mmCIF file of all heavy atoms in Angstrom:
data_model
loop_
_atom_site.group_PDB
_atom_site.id
_atom_site.type_symbol
_atom_site.label_atom_id
_atom_site.label_comp_id
_atom_site.label_asym_id
_atom_site.label_seq_id
_atom_site.Cartn_x
_atom_site.Cartn_y
_atom_site.Cartn_z
ATOM 1 N N GLN A 367 10.866 161.166 27.402
ATOM 2 C CA GLN A 367 11.808 161.447 28.474
ATOM 3 C C GLN A 367 13.026 162.160 27.906
ATOM 4 O O GLN A 367 13.735 161.611 27.063
ATOM 5 C CB GLN A 367 12.228 160.165 29.186
ATOM 6 C CG GLN A 367 13.058 160.411 30.432
ATOM 7 C CD GLN A 367 13.194 159.174 31.286
ATOM 8 O OE1 GLN A 367 13.130 158.049 30.785
ATOM 9 N NE2 GLN A 367 13.372 159.367 32.582
ATOM 10 N N ALA A 368 13.246 163.379 28.374
ATOM 11 C CA ALA A 368 14.422 164.151 28.020
ATOM 12 C C ALA A 368 15.520 163.889 29.037
ATOM 13 O O ALA A 368 15.241 163.492 30.175
ATOM 14 C CB ALA A 368 14.084 165.641 27.974
ATOM 15 N N PRO A 369 16.782 164.107 28.667
ATOM 16 C CA PRO A 369 17.883 163.868 29.611
ATOM 17 C C PRO A 369 17.705 164.636 30.910
ATOM 18 O O PRO A 369 17.427 165.833 30.903
ATOM 19 C CB PRO A 369 19.113 164.353 28.842
ATOM 20 C CG PRO A 369 18.740 164.180 27.412
ATOM 21 C CD PRO A 369 17.278 164.509 27.344
ATOM 22 N N GLY A 370 17.846 163.942 32.032
ATOM 23 C CA GLY A 370 17.722 164.559 33.344
ATOM 24 C C GLY A 370 16.306 164.858 33.782
ATOM 25 O O GLY A 370 16.114 165.452 34.845
ATOM 26 N N LYS A 371 15.308 164.456 33.001
ATOM 27 C CA LYS A 371 13.914 164.744 33.314
ATOM 28 C C LYS A 371 13.149 163.464 33.609
ATOM 29 O O LYS A 371 13.569 162.369 33.233
ATOM 30 C CB LYS A 371 13.239 165.465 32.146
ATOM 31 C CG LYS A 371 13.877 166.785 31.758
ATOM 32 C CD LYS A 371 13.659 167.843 32.815
ATOM 33 C CE LYS A 371 14.159 169.195 32.337
ATOM 34 N NZ LYS A 371 13.927 170.246 33.355
ATOM 35 N N GLU A 372 12.015 163.615 34.294
ATOM 36 C CA GLU A 372 11.115 162.501 34.543
ATOM 37 C C GLU A 372 10.435 162.078 33.248
ATOM 38 O O GLU A 372 10.227 162.890 32.342
ATOM 39 C CB GLU A 372 10.052 162.895 35.566
ATOM 40 C CG GLU A 372 10.574 163.182 36.952
ATOM 41 C CD GLU A 372 10.587 161.949 37.809
ATOM 42 O OE1 GLU A 372 9.492 161.471 38.180
ATOM 43 O OE2 GLU A 372 11.678 161.457 38.123
ATOM 44 N N ARG A 373 10.090 160.803 33.164
ATOM 45 C CA ARG A 373 9.322 160.336 32.031
ATOM 46 C C ARG A 373 7.918 160.941 32.087
ATOM 47 O O ARG A 373 7.245 160.898 33.119
ATOM 48 C CB ARG A 373 9.251 158.812 32.026
ATOM 49 C CG ARG A 373 8.692 158.230 30.741
ATOM 50 C CD ARG A 373 8.982 156.733 30.620
ATOM 51 N NE ARG A 373 10.406 156.455 30.500
ATOM 52 C CZ ARG A 373 10.920 155.270 30.164
ATOM 53 N NH1 ARG A 373 10.099 154.248 29.901
ATOM 54 N NH2 ARG A 373 12.224 155.104 30.100
ATOM 55 N N GLU A 374 7.467 161.512 30.971
ATOM 56 C CA GLU A 374 6.255 162.311 30.913
ATOM 57 C C GLU A 374 5.225 161.667 29.991
ATOM 58 O O GLU A 374 5.522 161.366 28.833
ATOM 59 C CB GLU A 374 6.597 163.722 30.410
ATOM 60 C CG GLU A 374 5.393 164.627 30.191
ATOM 61 C CD GLU A 374 5.733 165.893 29.430
ATOM 62 O OE1 GLU A 374 6.774 165.926 28.724
ATOM 63 O OE2 GLU A 374 4.955 166.867 29.531
ATOM 64 N N TRP A 375 4.001 161.494 30.490
ATOM 65 C CA TRP A 375 2.893 161.074 29.646
ATOM 66 C C TRP A 375 2.505 162.196 28.704
ATOM 67 O O TRP A 375 2.365 163.345 29.118
ATOM 68 C CB TRP A 375 1.686 160.689 30.524
ATOM 69 C CG TRP A 375 0.432 160.392 29.760
ATOM 70 C CD1 TRP A 375 0.090 159.214 29.164
ATOM 71 C CD2 TRP A 375 -0.655 161.294 29.527
ATOM 72 N NE1 TRP A 375 -1.145 159.323 28.567
ATOM 73 C CE2 TRP A 375 -1.623 160.591 28.778
ATOM 74 C CE3 TRP A 375 -0.910 162.619 29.881
ATOM 75 C CZ2 TRP A 375 -2.826 161.172 28.369
ATOM 76 C CZ3 TRP A 375 -2.103 163.202 29.482
ATOM 77 C CH2 TRP A 375 -3.046 162.483 28.734
ATOM 78 N N ILE A 376 2.301 161.878 27.425
ATOM 79 C CA ILE A 376 1.889 162.900 26.478
ATOM 80 C C ILE A 376 0.565 162.585 25.798
ATOM 81 O O ILE A 376 -0.198 163.511 25.498
ATOM 82 C CB ILE A 376 2.969 163.183 25.414
ATOM 83 C CG1 ILE A 376 3.428 161.907 24.711
ATOM 84 C CG2 ILE A 376 4.151 163.902 26.046
ATOM 85 C CD1 ILE A 376 4.342 162.174 23.534
ATOM 86 N N SER A 377 0.265 161.321 25.568
ATOM 87 C CA SER A 377 -0.979 160.983 24.881
ATOM 88 C C SER A 377 -1.277 159.507 25.034
ATOM 89 O O SER A 377 -0.358 158.692 25.165
ATOM 90 C CB SER A 377 -0.877 161.340 23.392
ATOM 91 O OG SER A 377 -2.101 161.125 22.724
ATOM 92 N N SER A 378 -2.560 159.150 24.997
ATOM 93 C CA SER A 378 -2.964 157.751 25.018
ATOM 94 C C SER A 378 -4.307 157.591 24.333
ATOM 95 O O SER A 378 -5.037 158.566 24.125
ATOM 96 C CB SER A 378 -3.007 157.192 26.445
ATOM 97 O OG SER A 378 -3.754 158.023 27.308
ATOM 98 N N ILE A 379 -4.630 156.349 23.994
ATOM 99 C CA ILE A 379 -5.852 156.062 23.257
ATOM 100 C C ILE A 379 -6.422 154.739 23.739
ATOM 101 O O ILE A 379 -5.690 153.779 23.980
ATOM 102 C CB ILE A 379 -5.573 156.060 21.734
ATOM 103 C CG1 ILE A 379 -6.859 155.938 20.915
ATOM 104 C CG2 ILE A 379 -4.568 154.971 21.353
ATOM 105 C CD1 ILE A 379 -6.652 156.246 19.430
ATOM 106 N N THR A 380 -7.737 154.681 23.904
ATOM 107 C CA THR A 380 -8.390 153.464 24.362
ATOM 108 C C THR A 380 -8.509 152.466 23.228
ATOM 109 O O THR A 380 -8.326 152.787 22.054
ATOM 110 C CB THR A 380 -9.791 153.754 24.920
ATOM 111 O OG1 THR A 380 -10.652 154.149 23.841
ATOM 112 C CG2 THR A 380 -9.761 154.831 25.985
ATOM 113 N N ILE A 381 -8.852 151.243 23.591
ATOM 114 C CA ILE A 381 -9.034 150.210 22.588
ATOM 115 C C ILE A 381 -10.173 150.569 21.636
ATOM 116 O O ILE A 381 -10.172 150.141 20.478
ATOM 117 C CB ILE A 381 -9.269 148.839 23.268
ATOM 118 C CG1 ILE A 381 -9.047 147.692 22.284
ATOM 119 C CG2 ILE A 381 -10.648 148.770 23.909
ATOM 120 C CD1 ILE A 381 -8.934 146.339 22.959
ATOM 121 N N GLY A 382 -11.123 151.390 22.098
ATOM 122 C CA GLY A 382 -12.214 151.859 21.266
ATOM 123 C C GLY A 382 -11.909 153.104 20.460
ATOM 124 O O GLY A 382 -12.755 153.545 19.676
ATOM 125 N N GLY A 383 -10.723 153.700 20.657
ATOM 126 C CA GLY A 383 -10.301 154.825 19.839
ATOM 127 C C GLY A 383 -10.469 156.202 20.453
ATOM 128 O O GLY A 383 -10.337 157.198 19.737
ATOM 129 N N THR A 384 -10.735 156.303 21.758
ATOM 130 C CA THR A 384 -10.882 157.599 22.414
ATOM 131 C C THR A 384 -9.515 158.131 22.845
ATOM 132 O O THR A 384 -8.836 157.494 23.646
ATOM 133 C CB THR A 384 -11.794 157.503 23.634
ATOM 134 O OG1 THR A 384 -13.078 157.012 23.234
ATOM 135 C CG2 THR A 384 -11.963 158.869 24.285
ATOM 136 N N PRO A 385 -9.096 159.308 22.339
ATOM 137 C CA PRO A 385 -7.763 159.831 22.649
ATOM 138 C C PRO A 385 -7.749 160.800 23.829
ATOM 139 O O PRO A 385 -8.770 161.423 24.149
ATOM 140 C CB PRO A 385 -7.382 160.566 21.367
ATOM 141 C CG PRO A 385 -8.693 161.129 20.894
ATOM 142 C CD PRO A 385 -9.746 160.108 21.282
ATOM 143 N N SER A 386 -6.587 160.932 24.454
ATOM 144 C CA SER A 386 -6.330 161.934 25.482
ATOM 145 C C SER A 386 -4.954 162.529 25.234
ATOM 146 O O SER A 386 -4.061 161.844 24.721
ATOM 147 C CB SER A 386 -6.378 161.328 26.884
ATOM 148 O OG SER A 386 -7.650 160.771 27.169
ATOM 149 N N TYR A 387 -4.765 163.819 25.636
ATOM 150 C CA TYR A 387 -3.505 164.512 25.421
ATOM 151 C C TYR A 387 -3.137 165.353 26.622
ATOM 152 O O TYR A 387 -4.010 165.915 27.293
ATOM 153 C CB TYR A 387 -3.581 165.451 24.216
ATOM 154 C CG TYR A 387 -3.939 164.773 22.920
ATOM 155 C CD1 TYR A 387 -5.256 164.688 22.500
ATOM 156 C CD2 TYR A 387 -2.944 164.223 22.116
ATOM 157 C CE1 TYR A 387 -5.588 164.066 21.303
ATOM 158 C CE2 TYR A 387 -3.267 163.601 20.920
ATOM 159 C CZ TYR A 387 -4.587 163.527 20.516
ATOM 160 O OH TYR A 387 -4.906 162.910 19.326
ATOM 161 N N THR A 388 -1.844 165.469 26.879
ATOM 162 C CA THR A 388 -1.385 166.446 27.846
ATOM 163 C C THR A 388 -1.491 167.837 27.217
ATOM 164 O O THR A 388 -1.456 167.984 25.988
ATOM 165 C CB THR A 388 0.058 166.139 28.291
ATOM 166 O OG1 THR A 388 0.382 166.909 29.445
ATOM 167 C CG2 THR A 388 1.056 166.434 27.187
ATOM 168 N N ASP A 389 -1.642 168.863 28.054
ATOM 169 C CA ASP A 389 -1.928 170.206 27.552
ATOM 170 C C ASP A 389 -0.857 170.731 26.599
ATOM 171 O O ASP A 389 -1.168 171.445 25.641
ATOM 172 C CB ASP A 389 -2.089 171.185 28.714
ATOM 173 C CG ASP A 389 -3.396 171.018 29.454
ATOM 174 O OD1 ASP A 389 -4.314 170.366 28.920
ATOM 175 O OD2 ASP A 389 -3.506 171.559 30.567
ATOM 176 N N SER A 390 0.391 170.398 26.827
ATOM 177 C CA SER A 390 1.477 170.969 26.048
ATOM 178 C C SER A 390 1.507 170.503 24.590
ATOM 179 O O SER A 390 2.184 171.121 23.768
ATOM 180 C CB SER A 390 2.828 170.665 26.706
ATOM 181 O OG SER A 390 3.100 169.279 26.706
ATOM 182 N N VAL A 391 0.784 169.443 24.257
ATOM 183 C CA VAL A 391 0.781 168.950 22.881
ATOM 184 C C VAL A 391 -0.583 169.050 22.215
ATOM 185 O O VAL A 391 -0.701 168.738 21.018
ATOM 186 C CB VAL A 391 1.307 167.501 22.780
ATOM 187 C CG1 VAL A 391 2.656 167.376 23.471
ATOM 188 C CG2 VAL A 391 0.310 166.505 23.359
ATOM 189 N N LYS A 392 -1.600 169.487 22.931
ATOM 190 C CA LYS A 392 -2.936 169.617 22.349
ATOM 191 C C LYS A 392 -2.906 170.579 21.168
ATOM 192 O O LYS A 392 -2.354 171.662 21.248
ATOM 193 C CB LYS A 392 -3.937 170.103 23.397
ATOM 194 C CG LYS A 392 -4.337 169.051 24.404
ATOM 195 C CD LYS A 392 -5.330 169.604 25.421
ATOM 196 C CE LYS A 392 -5.733 168.539 26.424
ATOM 197 N NZ LYS A 392 -6.632 169.080 27.472
ATOM 198 N N GLY A 393 -3.515 170.157 20.074
ATOM 199 C CA GLY A 393 -3.538 170.961 18.868
ATOM 200 C C GLY A 393 -2.339 170.781 17.973
ATOM 201 O O GLY A 393 -2.346 171.260 16.833
ATOM 202 N N ARG A 394 -1.297 170.119 18.467
ATOM 203 C CA ARG A 394 -0.096 169.880 17.676
ATOM 204 C C ARG A 394 0.118 168.399 17.356
ATOM 205 O O ARG A 394 0.586 168.068 16.269
ATOM 206 C CB ARG A 394 1.145 170.401 18.404
ATOM 207 C CG ARG A 394 1.116 171.899 18.677
ATOM 208 C CD ARG A 394 2.478 172.394 19.145
ATOM 209 N NE ARG A 394 2.882 171.781 20.411
ATOM 210 C CZ ARG A 394 4.006 171.078 20.574
ATOM 211 N NH1 ARG A 394 4.849 170.899 19.551
ATOM 212 N NH2 ARG A 394 4.308 170.567 21.764
#
Side-chain angles (χ1 to χ4, degrees):
Q367 188 167 27
K371 301 291 187 179
E372 294 269 290
R373 191 165 295 191
E374 175 192 21
W375 173 83
I376 53 172
S377 185
S378 51
I379 187 167
T380 69
I381 197 166
T384 302
S386 299
Y387 302 93
T388 193
D389 286 344
S390 65
V391 308
K392 286 180 180 176
R394 299 191 297 122

